[in-house]
Amino acid sequence: MNTMKYYKILLSVLIISCSVSSIAATPDSTKAGKVNKFTPGAIWPDNHGTHINAHGGGIIYQSGTYYWFGEHKIAGDAGNKAEVGVHCYSSKDLYNWKDQGIALNVSNTPGNDIEKGCILERPKVVYNKKTKKYVMWFHVELKGKGYSAARAGVATSDKVTGPYQFLKSYRPNPGEMPFYPAGTPDSEKINCVKPASKTDGFFCRDLPGGQMARDMTVFVDDDGKAYHVFSSEENFTLQIAQLSDDYTSHTGKFIRVHAGHQTEAPTLFKRNGIYYMIGSGCTGWDPNAARWFSAKSIWGPWTFHGNPCKGEGSDITYGGQSTHVLPVAGKKNAFIFMADKWTPKNAIDGRYLWLPIHFKGDDLEINWLNSWDLNEFKN
Ligand code: GAL
């Protein structure tokens, strides 16, 4: 065969195989095909061909595998309550996810803090190198009490995929005043004798029993210290609180961020020694504009930078709300913004919006893409 002919045949084989794999990869397909791109907002089938059920989730990377934990939702508006628990999926490539089942089950015991029918949101798992345990934190609302309990819940497991054993739920840091880094002006310090604002008033009201803890994330720093970030003070102010060495309780050291400005859905990550947070405003299941912050120390001061999203739909985060920022293993400067597109009338149909974060120096930006893959990070 002459060389020209050989190359022509090779080229057509390549073209055919590429187009076949891109058809099979369509995440909207109901069959369990091989996925090789992210399609924000589309149905995302797991290895059984079922739409992934891990809302308000987060991802941990362990020995070459990613584990995605999120709220398992059921159909209808009943799905806004925890009827099942926390679902886990695993993946080696971030596109194709294997169902690992329920990592944390809700309890059938009446009165249990995580009784079936409670609200259990935004689970995040971290690994504790000292205790060799996986620690899952989440937001818990006691069954039948609406959103009034505002507690942080914690569960642990020896195995990443579970089963996780529920330990306790509570409001963090009772009796503790915030930590103020050197240089904090007195005007920013809380005076519970005469609270200066509505949010300071909520803080002082909750001082004896512990601070409210709703939308949340957990972040482990390079030195192994872990932090719980949560919407507190009736969702008016974010708090960043240090966790104990075993990651299962709070140490009493915490700061308040962007007091009075209602930040929810926090995510926290670190790049080139700078800490970044991306969160949302506070409009329930309805989307609003995202917001980002950065700081040179976890203890602040945190600088508010406004909306990281650009272009059409940026004023409502393209219909989504942040839940986690995932550093892609083995790639420098590769961070994925993960958001939920909530569908509260049929909770199980909630979609996932994953988008690449682009950095310009130390600033970041998020743009909508109909579909993309990890090669995006080469640009
Ligand atoms: C959102 C929050 C969700 C859920 C919802 C309930 O603001 O981010 O996690 O709590 O409110 O209305």
Side-chain angles (χ1 to χ4, degrees):
M1 194 191 308
N2 72 36
T3 344
M4 208 46 205
K5 209 168 164 192
Y6 171 79
Y7 280 119
K8 272 188 186 159
I9 292 170
L10 189 67
L11 194 66
S12 39
V13 167
L14 275 174
I15 289 170
I16 291 167
S17 61
C18 282
S19 52
V20 165
S21 73
S22 73
I23 293 166
T26 306
D28 254 327
S29 117
T30 46
K31 289 205 195 90
K34 201 100 174 100
V35 180
N36 62 5
K37 61 183 175 183
F38 303 110
T39 313
I43 288 287
W44 195 343
D46 67 6
N47 58 315
H48 304 304
T50 307
H51 181 47
I52 291 170
N53 197 341
H55 311 264
I59 290 179
I60 176 178
Y61 179 74
Q62 289 284 283
S63 320
T65 305
Y66 295 93
Y67 297 90
W68 177 356
F69 295 86
E71 303 157 27
H72 178 102
K73 305 266 194 193
I74 64 165
D77 65 1
N80 299 312
K81 302 260 166 63
E83 298 294 336
V84 177
V86 176
H87 208 133
C88 175
Y89 295 83
S90 64
S91 173
K92 290 202 183 289
D93 62 8
L94 291 172
Y95 307 116
N96 297 280
W97 291 88
K98 185 175 173 207
D99 184 2
Q100 295 284 359
I102 302 302
L104 172 70
N105 284 286
V106 292
S107 163
N108 286 319
T109 310
N112 187 288
D113 289 4
I114 58 162
E115 181 181 353
K116 188 174 185 298
C118 71
I119 291 169
L120 197 164
E121 294 178 338
R122 301 186 174 272
K124 303 286 177 296
V125 171
V126 287
Y127 178 65
N128 189 297
K129 284 185 185 153
K130 283 189 191 150
T131 60
K132 299 196 166 41
K133 286 199 187 284
Y134 294 89
V135 183
M136 180 192 287
W137 282 92
F138 42 87
H139 163 206
V140 184
E141 297 292 347
L142 304 176
K143 186 178 178 178
K145 303 243 164 84
Y147 274 85
S148 62
R151 290 191 190 188
V154 60
T156 58
S157 169
D158 294 327
K159 237 184 98 196
V160 60
T161 51
Y164 285 75
Q165 304 298 325
F166 174 68
L167 298 182
K168 59 193 167 181
S169 82
Y170 60 95
R171 286 188 174 189
N173 296 322
E176 304 288 349
M177 292 301 281
F179 168 72
Y180 298 114
T184 306
D186 280 348
S187 59
E188 282 180 23
K189 297 182 181 167
I190 294 193
N191 175 3
C192 281
V193 176
K194 197 167 177 259
S197 63
K198 207 162 147 182
T199 196
D200 287 10
F202 295 136
F203 177 93
C204 298
R205 179 198 66 190
D206 294 336
L207 188 57
Q211 297 299 322
M212 298 176 95
R214 293 203 182 107
D215 277 14
M216 54 139 281
T217 194
V218 177
F219 167 74
V220 179
D221 209 342
D222 308 327
D223 61 2
K225 293 247 180 284
Y227 301 87
H228 177 211
V229 186
F230 51 97
S231 292
S232 195
E233 306 169 28
E234 301 287 358
N235 299 347
F236 273 85
T237 295
L238 269 188
Q239 293 185 5
I240 301 180
Q242 191 178 55
L243 293 175
S244 56
D245 285 350
D246 69 358
Y247 300 171
T248 67
S249 59
H250 292 76
T251 62
K253 186 173 181 182
F254 67 97
I255 56 163
R256 302 165 76 225
V257 179
H258 211 39
H261 292 282
Q262 297 187 292
T263 306
E264 287 201 313
T267 67
L268 205 164
F269 63 101
K270 195 177 185 183
R271 172 188 172 266
N272 292 346
I274 296 179
Y275 298 85
Y276 291 88
M277 275 202 292
I278 304 177
S280 74
C282 184
T283 51
W285 301 117
D286 295 332
N288 54 51
R291 52 185 70 176
W292 72 283
F293 306 83
S294 65
K296 291 201 174 110
S297 154
I298 191 88
W299 300 120
W302 283 88
T303 307
F304 169 74
H305 300 281
N307 189 353
C309 298
K310 304 292 166 212
E312 207 186 319
S314 57
D315 52 334
I316 53 163
T317 319
Y318 318 111
Q321 186 183 27
S322 43
T323 185
H324 186 67
V325 168
L326 175 69
V328 179
K331 283 190 186 245
K332 225 179 159 245
N333 287 327
F335 295 85
I336 300 177
F337 173 72
M338 292 169 51
D340 293 284
K341 191 172 176 190
W342 304 112
T343 53
K345 292 203 173 101
N346 187 24
I348 195 173
D349 193 35
R351 305 296 173 90
Y352 311 102
L353 308 185
W354 288 20
L355 292 165
I357 297 178
H358 291 292
F359 290 91
K360 291 184 173 167
D362 291 337
D363 288 352
L364 59 78
E365 200 173 286
I366 299 166
N367 292 278
W368 176 259
L369 290 171
N370 287 327
S371 74
W372 62 284
D373 63 28
L374 294 170
N375 290 317
E376 183 71 25
F377 293 117
K378 283 189 188 138
N379 304 328

